[in-house]
Amino acid sequence: METTSRVGAQASAADGAASQAVPSARRTVDGYLLAPFPWYGLDEAFTGPRWLMQVGTAADGAVEHGSIGHGDEPSVRAEGGFGNGDRERFAVVVTVAANPVRRSADGTGVLEATSVSSAAWLAGVGLLSYTWPGQMDHSLRDDWLDQQTETAWVLADDLEGSDWSALSLPVDGVPTSFHYRESEYGWVLAGSTKEGVHLGAYGRGMSAYGLGFSVVKDIAAYAK
């Protein structure tokens, strides 16, 4: 993720998560095709709808991460607690390129190394982009989102802490260990693959315990 400071990194991820909630007509496969790493989604056991979200890029335009949705396309929680959340069942898989610390393209800064924590943070912020306590005034949403984004950062930075538990799920058919947590807004998990990418996921209404992940064979098939 693009960062020369913690604040810069937070802004990058928060903006990326917020941009995921865009109309389907604006989602294209172009950015996904530019990625130098494989994309992951739920494996073939999931037979429901699949849809593209957004990719995230570094300052030089290189694709660094992106998300793929599964199930019902979620709406922002704005009414009655979680609104129509009981009727929305979705899981989003976030793929993050495994990159070392490196200089930015223009040589003026440093791009932070990505890690499992990067995937956990993006997944946590992604879940927040579809969450809005119903009793909250519109004018307070930005403050609430800033606060919750900070919390997501702290949690992602302490994957061995008590807020996380271990969960083993198949990745390309191989049992893989993930860090997992639940909240009133849904669940978040994060881990790594043998294909050189980190995986994050978040969802609501679909149990994480029965999920499996695999490389997407044809990303163009996900395009609307």
Side-chain angles (χ1 to χ4, degrees):
M1 268 107 54
E2 178 185 4
T3 117
T4 52
S5 69
R6 176 172 173 176
V7 173
Q10 283 186 316
S12 176
D15 291 346
S19 69
Q20 290 173 355
V22 297
S24 298
R26 289 175 54 194
R27 299 174 188 148
T28 69
V29 74
D30 297 353
Y32 293 86
L33 295 174
L34 296 175
F37 54 86
W39 294 105
Y40 272 80
L42 296 186
D43 61 21
E44 294 180 354
F46 177 78
T47 58
R50 299 170 183 252
W51 28 277
L52 297 180
M53 299 181 76
Q54 291 284 297
V55 300
T57 60
D60 60 2
V63 175
E64 292 201 320
H65 60 84
S67 302
I68 297 174
H70 307 74
D72 304 321
E73 296 196 39
S75 57
V76 174
R77 300 291 177 264
E79 298 176 356
F82 285 150
N84 296 324
D86 292 341
R87 296 194 295 273
E88 290 181 351
R89 302 175 64 253
F90 70 92
V92 173
V93 179
V94 183
T95 306
V96 183
N99 290 324
V101 174
R102 60 215 187 279
R103 300 294 297 178
S104 60
D106 60 8
T108 60
V110 175
L111 299 179
E112 189 178 69
T114 57
S115 65
V116 177
S117 290
S118 307
W121 180 33
L122 285 169
V125 176
L127 181 61
L128 291 174
S129 68
Y130 295 113
T131 302
W132 187 348
Q135 72 276 14
M136 183 176 294
D137 184 88
H138 288 238
S139 63
L140 298 178
R141 170 150 170 83
D142 286 346
D143 289 340
W144 178 87
L145 188 58
D146 287 345
Q147 181 186 57
Q148 294 301 316
T149 299
E150 171 70 17
T151 299
W153 176 286
V154 172
L155 289 170
D157 201 38
D158 185 23
L159 293 177
E160 302 303 325
S162 60
D163 290 291
W164 298 89
S165 59
L167 179 61
S168 180
L169 297 172
V171 177
D172 295 322
V174 178
T176 302
S177 180
F178 286 88
H179 301 275
Y180 174 79
R181 68 177 176 87
E182 295 180 356
S183 73
E184 61 184 303
Y185 309 122
W187 52 263
V188 172
L189 59 81
S192 295
T193 79
K194 294 182 179 180
E195 294 297 323
V197 299
H198 305 297
L199 289 186
Y202 61 91
R204 190 158 44 224
M206 292 173 59
S207 173
Y209 288 86
L211 301 182
F213 306 96
S214 63
V215 170
V216 175
K217 297 178 181 178
D218 180 12
I219 192 66
Y222 281 61
K224 292 285 185 177

